[in-house]
Amino acid sequence: MNKLQEVSMKSLATILMIFSTILVSGCDTRSEIGEPRMNITAAEEVYTIGVNAYIWRAALDTLSFMPLVSAEPTSGIIITDWKVNPSDANERTKVDVYIVGSELRADSMNVTVHRETMQNGNWVSVEPRPNAASQIVQAITIQARLLRRDNAPVTSF
């Protein structure tokens, strides 16, 4: 190999290295939960199923431990069946979620928690545990924000 070919090969290798470095520098790894990613652009509202898709998916994920009676994505209604408390067979709970807004916010959904206890062989309605509905709303909202963050396209600056 002559001197000119050797210089050309080194130049080509340098150019390829610079090009691949530029390509790789645009990649981003998944950040830790709660750590903001500064270079994402996410649609706040997603209507392909009738309601905000992030809230819908997060609600299904959050309530996945309960059996579902109905889940209607176009109207944004999720109704669970009764779930017996694993630590107390004389108590059961069910949850209804109504997605009423299109934005990814806690007030975009209404959550109702129903609770019953066994008394004299019959299920009797009792007050749900304090803050049960608000805790479910908070869990759904956090999960929806994580889904939005992880599904947002990464942009290079």
Side-chain angles (χ1 to χ4, degrees):
M1 193 181 313
N2 65 29
K3 218 44 158 158
L4 182 59
Q5 289 176 328
E6 189 175 319
V7 169
S8 294
M9 291 298 283
K10 285 183 181 179
S11 297
L12 180 61
T14 303
I15 290 170
L16 285 173
M17 186 178 297
I18 291 170
F19 182 71
S20 61
T21 302
I22 291 170
L23 283 176
V24 172
S25 68
C27 296
D28 189 17
T29 59
R30 182 171 185 243
S31 61
E32 295 299 316
I33 292 177
E35 178 184 329
R37 285 180 24 192
M38 303 308 279
N39 60 341
I40 63 172
T41 56
E44 184 66 27
E45 301 169 4
V46 180
Y47 298 106
T48 57
I49 60 171
V51 296
N52 185 295
Y54 297 122
I55 294 176
W56 177 257
R57 182 76 250 166
L60 289 175
D61 289 348
T62 302
L63 298 173
S64 64
F65 70 98
M66 299 187 80
L68 288 178
V69 170
S70 176
E72 183 57 46
T74 54
S75 62
I77 297 173
I78 300 170
I79 300 173
T80 70
D81 202 356
W82 290 101
K83 170 81 174 174
V84 175
N85 185 340
S87 61
D88 182 2
N90 292 321
E91 178 183 319
R92 66 183 187 175
T93 306
K94 73 183 280 245
V95 178
D96 302 331
V97 177
Y98 301 99
I99 301 172
V100 295
S102 59
E103 295 180 16
L104 203 164
R105 300 175 7 168
D107 62 357
S108 291
M109 68 190 106
N110 293 328
V111 173
T112 306
V113 177
H114 307 276
R115 184 172 161 233
E116 292 182 344
T117 58
M118 180 69 75
Q119 296 176 5
N120 299 322
N122 296 317
W123 289 107
V124 177
S125 259
V126 294
E127 286 292 315
R129 298 192 185 279
N131 301 319
S134 62
Q135 289 174 348
I136 293 170
V137 167
Q138 183 179 17
I140 292 170
T141 304
I142 290 169
Q143 178 67 19
R145 288 180 179 155
L146 291 173
L147 288 170
R148 180 184 65 185
R149 183 200 67 188
D150 290 344
N151 289 319
V154 177
T155 59
S156 298
F157 293 105

